[in-house]
C-alpha cells in the first residue's frame, strides 16, 4: 500500500501574498484537519490512545442515505457518493481519485480534505478560490489527480 501523506496550502486568484493570515492561520487549520483525518484513517486511534472505537469510525464513514435521498440531491452526491456522519463517502469510482470507501468533503472556496483507507492516504488542500459556478474549482480536481498519479506501487 502506498504511504503518501499530502499537506498542501495554496492561496490563489489575485490574493495578496500572506493574505490568508489576515483571515485564519491556514497552516494551523490544515494541520488540525490533517490530524483529525489521520485519526479516522487509523480507526480512531492517535498514537497509543483509542479516541473513537473502530465500529464508531466504520459507522461514521459508511453511506447513510437511501438511493432516493441521494438521487434527490445530485449537486452534492452525483452518482459516485453518499453521505456518512458529517462527510461524503465515495461509493463508486468516477475518476482515478474516487475510490470506493474514500471519505471527506470539499468546501465551497477550494478546500478539500479526504481520507482513502485503501491507499492509506490523507490529503488536505487549503485554498481560497472564488467559485465561478456551482462546481469544484479545477485546482481541487488537479490536486487529487496529482495525488493519485503519485502512487507508485
Amino acid at each position: 500500500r502506498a504511504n503518501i501523506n499530502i499537506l498542501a496550502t495554496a492561496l490563489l486568484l489575485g490574493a495578496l501574498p500572506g493574505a490568508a493570515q489576515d483571515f485564519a492561520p491556514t497552516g494551523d487549520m490544515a494541520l488540525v484537519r490533517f490530524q483529525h483525518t489521520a485519526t479516522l484513517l487509523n480507526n480512531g486511534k492517535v498514537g497509543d490512545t483509542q479516541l473513537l472505537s473502530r465500529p464508531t469510525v466504520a459507522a461514521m464513514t459508511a453511506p447513510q442515505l437511501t438511493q432516493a435521498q441521494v438521487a434527490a440531491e445530485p449537486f452534492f452526491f452525483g452518482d459516485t457518493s453518499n453521505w456518512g456522519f458529517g462527510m461524503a463517502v465515495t461509493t463508486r469510482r468516477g475518476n482515478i481519485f474516487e475510490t470506493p470507501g474514500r471519505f471527506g468533503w470539499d468546501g465551497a472556496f477550494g478546500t478539500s480534505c479526504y481520507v482513502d483507507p485503501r491507499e492509506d492516504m490523507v490529503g488536505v488542500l487549503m485554498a481560497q478560490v472564488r467559485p465561478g459556478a456551482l462546481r469544484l474549482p479545477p485546482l481541487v480536481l488537479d490536486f487529487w489527480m496529482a495525488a493519485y498519479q503519485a502512487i507508485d506501487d
Side-chain angles (χ1 to χ4, degrees):
R1 291 169 62 154
N3 188 7
I4 300 171
N5 293 316
I6 299 171
L7 179 62
T9 303
L11 184 64
L12 303 171
L13 294 183
L16 298 171
Q21 287 88 21
D22 294 341
F23 301 105
T26 305
D28 291 346
M29 289 174 61
L31 183 59
V32 167
R33 175 57 76 188
F34 181 79
Q35 290 169 335
H36 171 255
T37 54
T39 301
L40 295 175
L41 178 64
N42 293 325
N43 289 310
K45 204 169 190 182
V46 176
D48 294 332
T49 304
Q50 191 74 42
L51 294 179
L52 297 168
S53 71
R54 184 188 44 73
T56 297
V57 173
M60 291 172 63
T61 60
Q64 300 294 326
L65 301 181
T66 66
Q67 286 303 103
Q69 290 170 316
V70 170
E73 294 294 338
F75 173 74
F76 287 107
F77 305 112
D79 59 355
T80 61
S81 66
N82 197 301
W83 192 247
F85 293 141
M87 63 196 84
V89 178
T90 303
T91 55
R92 90 175 175 78
R93 188 179 290 277
N95 278 306
I96 186 175
F97 53 84
E98 291 176 319
T99 339
R102 174 179 179 253
F103 57 88
W105 191 247
D106 297 303
F109 290 92
T111 58
S112 186
C113 178
Y114 279 89
V115 174
D116 187 335
R118 261 190 204 168
E119 298 296 343
D120 194 28
M121 181 165 68
V122 172
V124 178
L125 174 66
M126 302 294 283
Q128 292 296 304
V129 181
R130 182 181 304 192
L134 293 177
R135 68 179 188 279
L136 287 177
L139 169 72
V140 175
L141 301 175
D142 292 346
F143 172 77
W144 288 113
M145 189 67 72
Y148 279 79
Q149 287 175 340
I151 297 171
D152 65 355
D153 60 355

